[in-house]
Amino acid sequence: MEKMGLNALREAFLSFYESKGHYRRQSYSLIPENDKSLLLIGAGMAPLKPYFAGLETPPSKRMTTCQKCIRTGDIDNVGHTDRHGTFFEMLGNFSFGDYFKKEAITWAWEFSTEILKLPEEKLWVTIYEDDDEARQLWRDMIGVPEEKIVALGKDDNFWEIGTGGPCGPCSEIYFDRGEEHGCGRPDCKPGCECDRYVEFWNLVFTQFNKEEDGTYTPLPHPNIDTGMGLERIACVMQDTSSIFDVDTIKYILDEVVRVSGVKYQQGKAPTDVSIRIITDHLRSMVFMISDGILPGNEGREYVLRRLIRRAARQGRVLGIEGPFLAALSEKVVDVSGKAYPELEKMRTFVHKVIAAEEEKFAATIDQGMKIIEDYISEMKASENGVLDGEKAFKLHDTYGFPIDLTREILAEAGFEVDLEGFDQAMAEQKARSQKEQEMEGAGWEEAAADFVFEGETEFVGYTQVGSRSVIKAIVVGGQPVDAIKEGEEGIIVLDKTPFYAESGGQASDTGLIYNDNGSASVDYVEKFQQVFAHHITVKTGQLAVGEDLLCGYDEIQRNRTAANHTATHLLQKALQEVLGEHVKQAGSSVTADGLRFDFSHYQAMTAEEIRNVEEIVNDKIGHFIDVSTEVMAAKEAFKTGAMALFGEKYGDTVRVVSIGEYSRELCGGTHVKNTGQVGAFRILSESGVASGVRRIEAITGLGILDHYKKNENLLSDLTDAMKVTRDNITDKAASLISEVKSLKKEIEAQKQAKMAGSLGSLIDEAVEVGGVRLIRKRYDELKIDDLRKIADEIRAKEKNVIMVLAAVHKGKVNFMVSVSDDLTDRYHAGKMIKEIAKVAGGGGGGKANMAMAGAKDASKVDEALAKAEELLG
């Protein structure tokens, strides 16, 4: 047995199985392809499920991979134990109906004993208790002594998922680390919970299908699925009990130690937990970002954000000042870049994403930590061990603290979070944000509940401007009818149509349909499965089921829409050239008036980047590149490098739109025949729409002319209103701004003087209630900041005073309660203001000496002020 580095182990395994006729494939992405059941790839066989299920044909019946994996189920244990990590690599060899137990067992033993040179006397195996075939193979063919073959039950050595599907027994290989690592029991062997025996290889024999009634039916073509944790076997080969002492991981850990200046004591010091967490999370974040995942608030994006921010906080625990993760990410690329070329390729991008997220978190962490510390102090004082869910949500929503991070910080102080309350606050926010979208998809969907057209609509609009069609069905008010009359609105279905239905972000065509009996405008078209629903308004006469029609779409609208759609393809390619290959479409909207393109990117584009993208697109337009479309098999399309929307389901055949050799995308939309027909391209704005998602709004061709005319009219209106010429407008605007600023300063000075002069009279107006001087006052011309200044002035000079002030400004009502410091042991401003604001339909809170609240009902302000006297009585 010779010591082997992790990178050498990986290569040895893949080369060995390659020599056994296995197709060696590079690791799949951490982002599952066409599998919405998984957030991230967490097992070697996960990307191969379509092959095991017979849904797709594998490139070979024998495959071997080293699959990068992410699992966060045990994230709370990371750093506290020797073996838990969020990122790991899984070695595996697979057979899709080819070889079975004999070969799997033979090669596993050969690799273990002849390539790794593990001593046979140190190896044990486990089998499923009813798997006599595996027992016989290990004993009679391999020669493992009977006493070193351990039979275990279904919980340990039988693999199945859920209530049904492919499943089968397992056989595992263990390494005996020696008695010094054991529990001392004479019957200690694999299956014992002590640390003596390490399972490093699991051979799964998928030979059954579990039926719905719980019975097991033999598969006609059984499969092999094996998994060996690379980090775990590296621990064995390097004689270490901790994954953090494995060569490649220790390389990263040593740099964390150097940067922090904190000594690592191999798990024996409290700071070791922080060092290990940072080391592990660095590996995860680098691999995730290199696969195109960006920090965000949902799904896998949230997992990444959580890992980055968790690591960043641990850096502060170690005393590291300022951003540090981005620089440390280089070490992950250095040590793993050869095996995973995407790391080297995305090195700069990974650095930028981590740096941007660190900067974003640094801007809020101090404020958020101060709030958490205040919450902890309040809970200690009140002896309440659970943080209110709404407060936890505020930390998440306002300060960017993932709930898991809040929970972790509180747990360190011995407190918990009301997770149900947090989830409720989160659900309420989502409900508010989705309210405007609740009615989307109504109309044809509702009509379809009462009416289903059996058949398909033939779309001829790619090649024809118009068509002669037959009315197959009519729906009015959700009900099928035989005819639709003048003035009525409804839906018609045609046997064939030239009208493009709204899909893929492209707006539908509009136009006319008519015959000798009547005519109607086509207002928009949507698609229900393969049926085109034409929403129409009858202009003259009537139209009836079975009649022939002439149909024609608005050519100008179609042409302008097509120009904008082709521009989105040029835009996406240009964005990838300027920003990086991580850019992926996250949504789009294409109409005759312009285009909106959402894309994945981690920060706002600079003015130079926007200018470069615009220039690239216009350069392609100016070169008059031919645009072509081709229908082909999906597999062939992907082989040509055609871009597809991630997560989108595609059929066996797809439509590929090519702009010369520059761009190839799967797309069902309409396009120009030559980029020259786009005319020109102009970006109007670039903005953020969600975490990790940016949006560009742009116009083309005649849309630019429309925009120019609009600006011309605006400029003319401004020059007329300001009574200047176009040459003088800038100077005039600067002069007016300066004058306004001067007047505002003058007004503010007068207001402050008036406020200062009124302080004496305000104190004189105080009434004594319960031995306390109470000041109540309503202001209709001041803002809440002004009230704070008044209160600060009086509290600095006076004692035994409670002020209850109200500001009613532009329809907004704000209350403020100020308690002089000598009274805070008897009265609490935060508690008082809740009762006062409640009278006017509001709420708020604060500390003992100062609290503020908003309210809705200005007519109840005086009544609310009166409540103060009641609270003191």
Side-chain angles (χ1 to χ4, degrees):
M1 176 175 169
E2 299 175 359
K3 185 175 182 178
M4 290 182 69
L6 183 141
N7 287 328
L9 279 167
R10 184 195 304 109
E11 179 57 35
F13 180 90
L14 296 174
S15 295
F16 175 79
Y17 277 98
E18 201 172 19
S19 73
K20 303 298 183 184
H22 288 63
Y23 168 67
R24 174 174 174 170
R25 194 203 188 279
Q26 184 72 17
S27 172
Y28 289 84
S29 169
L30 285 167
I31 304 175
E33 279 187 42
N34 300 322
D35 188 348
K36 294 184 179 180
S37 67
L38 297 176
L39 197 64
L40 291 158
I41 294 298
M45 63 80 62
L48 308 176
K49 285 197 295 185
Y51 302 150
F52 282 112
L55 300 175
E56 294 182 16
T57 302
S60 169
K61 287 189 174 183
R62 300 179 180 186
M63 282 185 68
T64 184
T65 64
C66 182
Q67 177 62 46
K68 47 194 176 185
C69 302
I70 294 282
R71 288 185 192 169
T72 58
D74 291 322
I75 191 171
D76 292 335
N77 292 322
V78 173
H80 297 277
T81 69
D82 286 335
R83 297 178 187 171
H84 282 101
T86 58
F87 175 82
F88 62 96
E89 298 176 62
M90 186 61 75
L91 298 165
N93 59 285
F94 311 95
S95 167
F96 308 109
D98 187 32
Y99 62 83
F100 199 45
K101 292 182 186 179
K102 178 182 177 182
E103 293 84 354
I105 289 173
T106 300
W107 292 333
W109 190 258
E110 181 184 346
F111 181 77
S112 299
T113 59
E114 296 185 21
I115 304 300
L116 300 186
K117 297 184 177 3
L118 293 172
E120 291 188 21
E121 65 272 14
K122 290 279 191 180
L123 299 181
W124 290 62
V125 296
T126 64
I127 59 170
Y128 177 50
E129 56 190 359
D130 292 338
D131 193 355
D132 294 332
E133 181 185 3
R135 179 190 296 274
Q136 183 268 328
L137 288 169
W138 281 116
R139 184 189 60 210
D140 301 337
M141 183 181 71
I142 300 300
V144 177
E146 181 75 38
E147 64 272 15
K148 298 183 77 173
I149 301 173
V150 181
L152 298 175
K154 201 169 186 179
D155 290 343
D156 296 298
N157 274 54
F158 195 92
W159 180 86
E160 60 185 349
I161 297 179
T163 58
C167 57
C170 308
S171 184
E172 299 173 320
I173 309 178
Y174 283 75
F175 181 80
D176 180 1
R177 299 175 63 213
E179 292 183 3
E180 65 273 20
H181 297 282
C183 58
R185 291 165 49 190
D187 62 343
C188 182
K189 58 186 175 182
C192 181
E193 294 184 359
C194 71
D195 290 333
R196 176 173 177 174
Y197 298 96
V198 178
E199 178 264 310
F200 64 89
W201 205 341
N202 185 16
L203 315 178
V204 180
F205 311 129
T206 312
Q207 63 188 89
F208 301 112
N209 188 72
K210 187 177 181 180
E211 308 298 340
E212 291 183 3
D213 61 1
T215 59
Y216 295 89
T217 305
L219 291 172
H221 302 289
N223 304 312
I224 289 294
D225 161 24
T226 84
M228 177 162 57
L230 180 56
E231 290 83 359
R232 184 167 292 192
I233 189 61
C235 284
V236 172
M237 298 302 296
Q238 296 177 29
D239 192 24
T240 174
S241 60
S242 171
I243 62 171
F244 296 98
D245 291 325
V246 168
D247 61 334
T248 54
I249 303 176
K250 190 175 184 298
Y251 177 79
I252 302 165
L253 184 144
D254 287 344
E255 188 66 9
V256 176
V257 170
R258 187 192 69 78
V259 169
S260 66
V262 176
K263 186 177 179 181
Y264 180 64
Q265 300 178 41
Q266 295 185 319
K268 299 173 183 176
T271 50
D272 285 0
V273 173
S274 297
I275 292 171
R276 288 177 166 190
I277 288 173
I278 294 169
T279 300
D280 169 77
H281 289 9
L282 273 165
R283 299 176 77 212
S284 292
M285 66 181 78
V286 170
F287 275 90
M288 291 174 76
I289 295 168
S290 70
D291 276 349
I293 301 171
L294 297 175
N297 293 328
E298 293 185 357
R300 62 182 70 92
E301 290 80 14
Y302 173 74
V303 172
L304 175 59
R305 168 160 287 169
R306 178 186 176 192
L307 292 171
I308 294 175
R309 295 191 170 190
R310 195 168 188 257
R313 190 183 82 84
Q314 294 300 328
R316 292 186 172 237
V317 171
L318 294 176
I320 301 175
E321 295 183 1
F324 68 99
L325 293 173
L328 286 175
S329 71
E330 302 281 350
K331 294 298 177 181
V332 182
V333 181
D334 290 344
V335 81
S336 298
K338 186 175 180 180
Y340 298 96
E342 64 270 22
L343 298 186
E344 192 62 59
K345 183 179 180 181
M346 302 287 276
R347 180 192 288 265
T348 302
F349 175 68
V350 169
H351 189 286
K352 287 181 178 179
V353 171
I354 295 175
E357 185 65 15
E358 276 191 286
E359 183 181 351
K360 189 181 296 183
F361 190 44
T364 61
I365 189 171
D366 289 333
Q367 192 173 6
M369 287 298 298
K370 179 65 172 64
I371 291 172
I372 290 180
E373 289 166 5
D374 289 343
Y375 287 160
I376 291 174
S377 298
E378 290 175 9
M379 288 189 290
K380 285 180 179 178
S382 63
E383 298 184 354
N384 176 20
V386 181
L387 179 67
D388 181 74
E390 288 193 6
K391 290 181 177 178
F393 178 72
K394 180 181 178 183
L395 281 165
H396 161 81
D397 193 47
T398 307
Y399 300 102
F401 265 64
I403 181 62
D404 306 280
L405 183 55
T406 299
R407 190 181 62 169
E408 185 176 312
I409 295 170
L410 287 171
E412 291 171 0
F415 296 100
E416 299 177 3
V417 179
D418 173 17
L419 293 177
E420 284 189 14
F422 174 85
D423 290 340
Q424 183 178 345
M426 176 74 83
E428 289 173 356
Q429 187 210 47
K430 286 186 176 180
R432 288 192 297 270
S433 65
Q434 292 174 359
K435 193 172 182 180
E436 294 180 359
Q437 303 175 24
E438 288 179 355
M439 297 308 293
E440 284 190 10
W444 173 243
E445 303 274 353
E446 292 177 353
D450 299 311
F451 163 77
V452 176
F453 171 66
E454 295 182 359
E456 297 182 358
T457 304
E458 180 188 357
F459 178 61
V460 298
Y462 286 137
T463 57
Q464 297 178 208
V465 176
S467 69
R468 182 179 292 277
S469 305
V470 178
I471 300 177
K472 306 299 290 186
I474 302 175
V475 177
V476 176
Q479 297 296 321
V481 296
D482 293 328
I484 183 170
K485 300 175 184 178
E486 184 174 326
E488 288 185 326
E489 297 180 358
I491 298 170
I492 69 164
V493 176
L494 307 174
D495 65 334
K496 60 182 174 181
T497 181
F499 293 96
Y500 182 83
E502 182 176 346
S503 61
Q506 179 176 326
S508 75
D509 288 328
T510 62
L512 293 172
I513 56 174
Y514 60 94
N515 60 21
D516 292 339
N517 298 323
S519 65
S521 62
V522 175
D523 304 319
Y524 71 100
V525 186
E526 57 184 331
K527 192 162 57 172
F528 182 72
Q529 295 179 351
Q530 297 304 313
V531 178
F532 284 58
H534 304 74
H535 292 254
I536 66 167
T537 302
V538 180
K539 299 300 183 183
T540 62
Q542 72 170 23
L543 302 173
V545 174
E547 291 182 347
D548 285 348
L549 285 173
L550 289 175
C551 309
Y553 59 72
D554 183 331
E555 287 188 76
I556 294 178
Q557 180 195 20
R558 163 71 82 87
N559 292 339
R560 291 181 64 166
T561 302
N564 285 324
H565 202 153
T566 301
T568 64
H569 287 218
L570 293 171
L571 172 60
Q572 177 168 214
K573 189 66 177 177
L575 285 168
Q576 290 175 339
E577 288 185 7
V578 174
L579 302 179
E581 293 187 12
H582 66 279
V583 169
K584 296 290 185 294
Q585 181 176 334
S588 68
S589 174
V590 179
T591 69
D593 297 325
L595 65 96
R596 186 189 74 222
F597 187 77
D598 297 344
F599 59 98
S600 54
H601 190 51
Y602 56 93
Q603 63 184 12
M605 292 176 65
T606 66
E608 182 180 3
E609 288 171 339
I610 293 172
R611 184 169 57 253
N612 288 344
V613 167
E614 195 173 76
E615 287 176 353
I616 290 172
V617 174
N618 280 308
D619 177 73
K620 302 305 175 186
I621 292 171
H623 275 83
F624 281 57
I625 304 170
D626 286 336
V627 179
S628 61
T629 60
E630 183 180 1
V631 177
M632 63 175 69
K635 291 183 179 179
E636 293 302 315
F638 291 127
K639 286 180 181 178
T640 66
M643 284 192 288
L645 280 177
F646 178 78
E648 188 76 13
K649 293 283 187 180
Y650 294 98
D652 294 334
T653 58
V654 293
R655 184 169 179 263
V656 179
V657 176
S658 301
I659 304 176
E661 297 298 321
Y662 183 66
S663 165
R664 289 176 67 81
E665 288 191 41
L666 272 58
C667 179
T670 62
H671 291 269
V672 297
K673 290 181 170 29
N674 185 286
T675 58
Q677 293 173 303
V678 177
F681 176 77
R682 171 71 171 160
I683 294 176
L684 298 179
S685 66
E686 190 273 349
S687 61
V689 291
S691 181
V693 179
R694 308 296 301 176
R695 170 173 293 173
I696 280 180
E697 295 190 38
I699 49 180
T700 65
L702 292 176
I704 297 175
L705 181 60
D706 294 340
H707 184 70
Y708 170 76
K709 290 178 180 177
K710 182 179 178 181
N711 286 342
E712 279 290 300
N713 292 336
L714 177 61
L715 188 57
S716 295
D717 291 344
L718 284 172
T719 55
D720 290 344
M722 297 169 67
K723 295 183 171 33
V724 293
T725 64
R726 294 192 177 195
D727 293 339
N728 299 335
I729 192 168
T730 304
D731 293 338
K732 181 66 174 178
S735 175
L736 288 173
I737 291 171
S738 177
E739 186 177 342
V740 169
K741 285 182 179 178
S742 177
L743 289 171
K744 280 185 176 180
K745 286 183 180 179
E746 187 177 333
I747 292 170
E748 183 63 25
Q750 292 176 355
K751 186 171 70 173
Q752 294 298 327
K754 183 178 179 182
M755 285 167 52
S758 67
L759 292 180
S761 61
L762 193 61
I763 295 171
D764 292 340
E765 292 174 11
V767 296
E768 187 170 318
V769 181
V772 175
R773 288 186 293 167
L774 173 64
I775 297 174
R776 293 173 300 177
K777 184 77 172 179
R778 167 178 174 156
Y779 294 93
D780 290 314
E781 73 280 5
L782 300 183
K783 300 178 183 178
I784 189 67
D785 288 341
D786 299 324
L787 300 190
R788 189 186 292 108
K789 291 176 183 177
I790 292 173
D792 288 344
E793 290 250 4
I794 293 179
R795 196 168 63 246
K797 297 176 181 177
E798 302 290 331
K799 293 184 178 180
N800 195 40
V801 174
I802 292 179
M803 289 164 280
V804 182
L805 309 178
V808 183
H809 184 75
K810 293 184 178 180
K812 293 184 178 180
V813 180
N814 287 288
F815 291 101
M816 193 204 66
V817 174
S818 175
V819 178
S820 57
D821 295 337
D822 58 312
L823 296 178
T824 53
D825 58 338
R826 295 165 54 193
Y827 300 98
H828 192 288
K831 294 178 181 178
M832 289 181 66
I833 203 160
K834 286 182 180 178
E835 298 299 321
I836 293 169
K838 189 188 298 182
V839 176
K847 297 182 179 179
N849 64 346
M850 173 77 76
M852 291 177 286
K856 301 174 182 177
D857 193 347
S859 67
K860 297 288 184 67
V861 169
D862 293 337
E863 186 180 336
L865 292 174
K867 181 73 174 178
E869 187 171 343
E870 179 185 324
L871 294 173
L872 297 181

